[in-house]
Amino acid sequence: MNKIEHIGIAIKDMQQACHTYEKLLGTPCYKTEPVESEGVNTAFFKVGQNKIELLASTREDSAIAKYLEKKGEGIHHIAFDVEDIHAEMERLKNEGFTLLNAEPKKGADNKLICFVHPKDSNGVLVELCQEIR
């Protein structure tokens, strides 16, 4: 794993949350993007080398909708940049981690993604991200 790619935050109201984070971080949202396969709308902020991803549900059966119902708004996941997502998935499987995806899928911000089950990482949902080249 190269670095923390972003921190994902589950939110209920995208417009309100974007306004809040623009004020908090002192920078505008640089990108919004729907991810149909996940049932979310995303918004990204960059501060230095760090990124924040806001995630709002677009349908009631999405993972974010279920998360919000169970836990409310807050940090949803931490994402790590990887050079080779397939190799990293294989490495983690061999280390005994449970992956939530058998194959990487297209995520937001031009990334291939895969999630590691939080039960294997002390309650933290971990996302692997590889830039699509």
Side-chain angles (χ1 to χ4, degrees), residues 92 95-100 116-124 126:
L92 291 174
E95 291 287 347
F97 290 90
T98 304
L99 303 180
L100 297 179
V116 177
H117 200 292
K119 72 177 181 170
D120 295 337
S121 49
N122 302 90
V124 177
V126 172

Side-chain angles (χ1 to χ4, degrees), residues 19-51:
H19 180 71
T20 297
Y21 276 85
E22 285 175 351
K23 289 190 318 185
L24 176 70
L25 302 173
T27 188
C29 168
Y30 74 86
K31 179 179 191 176
T32 60
E33 179 180 355
V35 182
E36 306 269 339
S37 64
E38 297 299 306
V40 297
N41 283 328
T42 63
F44 287 90
F45 294 84
K46 191 164 188 174
V47 179
Q49 296 297 314
N50 304 303
K51 291 195 300 189

